């Protein structure tokens, strides 16, 4: 009987695959490097084709590592489900065959500064945080899509859907096109109701969506973490070594899932987390909206993660270490 689960992490500098026994421990893990591209100042991009190529390498590798560690054969038949996680909110315009139309625009990309200023000036009375749960910043998807429509109209007009990094990889494996709840929340393209419901902004009824030129059909439906969103297709199985028909489960944003794994499970639990960026995350029993904070959706239904985030925390510590010569 299949008892293991496979987690796939789309990171900024690497793609990682982890094979775990939920009742015991991590059985094996492996990673492959991923390149970050900045063809112009302020741009941050990655190639989804490299994520897929890495996955094709990593699945057989992690199964071999698991077999060596356990002293018995470990195959794709032992995997009960697959889930994806990664950076958020990356933006990938995808055609009707599921192929990316350009490189992924990552969450730390800063190309849409003019579009951010334009949208803010055009809607001076709109409280973006109260309306969507997110401030209008370089992480907002609306300004990025407006930039895409202006500067790369072929990619925008050909876009059948827009997806995030880990959602696209799940779709490439065979899942139904979707955006995971945290991508939706951080995108600024959904209205956040007091009960935590997310409703897509519609260009006919909403000035923000209209000004940004959002096509309502281009944003797929929202999937909650833990939801089965499809199964591994025969083609994906042939390319990766996974078993066709393996359930694909919606994962979530990397920093959210790592906080949950660290023990943030009840209101009042909190965590200081330093990577390249830094976060102070606190579990809340309601969607706490504050202009000083980001708001993330906890993977457990009904819980939320207000997040004080600084994009360069760990990077600054490394920089100080390099110039000071200290530990």
């Amino acid at each position: 009987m299949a008892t293991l689960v496979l987690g796939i992490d789309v990171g900024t500098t690497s793609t990682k695959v982890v094979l775990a026994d939920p009742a015991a421990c991590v059985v094996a893990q492996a990673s492959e490097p991923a390149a970050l591209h900045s063809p112009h100042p302020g741009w941050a991009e990655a190639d989804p084709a490299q994520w897929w190529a890495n996955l094709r390498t990593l699945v057989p590798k992690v199964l071999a590592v698991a077999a060596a560690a356990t002293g018995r054969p470990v195959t794709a038949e032992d995997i009960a489900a697959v889930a994806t996680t990664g950076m958020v909110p990356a933006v990938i315009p995808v055609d009707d065959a599921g192929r990316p139309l350009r490189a992924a625009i990552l969450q730390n990309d800063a190309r849409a500064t003019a579009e951010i200023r334009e949208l803010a000036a055009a809607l001076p009375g709109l409280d973006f945080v109260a309306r969507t749960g997110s401030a209008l910043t370089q992480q907002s998807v609306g300004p990025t899509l407006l930039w895409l429509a202006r500067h790369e109209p072929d990619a925008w007009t050909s876009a059948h859907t827009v997806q995030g990094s880990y959602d696209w990889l799940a779709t490439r494996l065979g899942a139904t096109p979707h955006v995971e709840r945290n991508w939706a929340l951080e995108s600024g393209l959904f209205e956040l109701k007091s009960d935590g419901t997310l409703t897509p902004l519609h260009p006919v009824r909403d000035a923000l969506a209209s000004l940004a030129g959002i096509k309502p059909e281009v944003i797929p439906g929202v999937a909650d973490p833990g939801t089965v969103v499809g199964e591994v297709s025969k083609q994906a199985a042939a390319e990766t070594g996974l078993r066709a028909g393996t359930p694909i489960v919606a994962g979530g944003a990397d920093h959210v899932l790592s906080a949950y794994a660290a023990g943030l499970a009840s209101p009042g639990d909190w965590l200081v987390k330093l990577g390249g960026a830094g976060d102070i995350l606190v579990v809340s029993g309601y969607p706490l909206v504050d202009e000083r904070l980001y708001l993330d959706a906890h993977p457990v239904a009904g819980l939320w993660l207000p997040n004080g985030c600084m994009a360069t925390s760990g990077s600054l510590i490394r920089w100080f270490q390099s110039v000071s010569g200290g530990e």
Side-chain angles (χ1 to χ4, degrees), residues 256-269:
V256 170
L257 298 187
S258 67
Y260 181 48
L264 270 68
S266 303
D269 292 345

Side-chain angles (χ1 to χ4, degrees), residues 166-182:
Y166 50 95
D167 295 327
W168 173 81
L169 196 60
T171 302
R172 182 69 177 82
L173 281 168
T176 301
H178 64 279
V179 290
E180 183 270 327
R181 187 172 177 81
N182 269 293

Side-chain angles (χ1 to χ4, degrees), residues 125-136 190-194 287-291 295:
L126 179 60
D127 187 336
F128 292 94
V129 177
R131 183 75 186 281
T132 69
S134 299
L136 185 65
F190 292 77
E191 182 176 7
L192 177 65
K193 305 289 188 179
S194 59
L288 193 160
V289 175
D290 188 306
E291 65 181 5
L295 179 64

Side-chain angles (χ1 to χ4, degrees), residues 92-137:
I92 310 171
V94 179
D95 69 12
D96 57 2
R99 296 175 298 229
L101 293 162
R102 69 170 329 280
I105 301 174
L106 305 186
Q107 72 282 353
N108 54 338
D109 186 278
R111 75 187 65 197
T113 52
E115 286 73 18
I116 293 170
R117 289 194 299 268
E118 180 180 331
L119 289 172
L123 301 166
L126 179 60
D127 187 336
F128 292 94
V129 177
R131 183 75 186 281
T132 69
S134 299
L136 185 65
T137 69

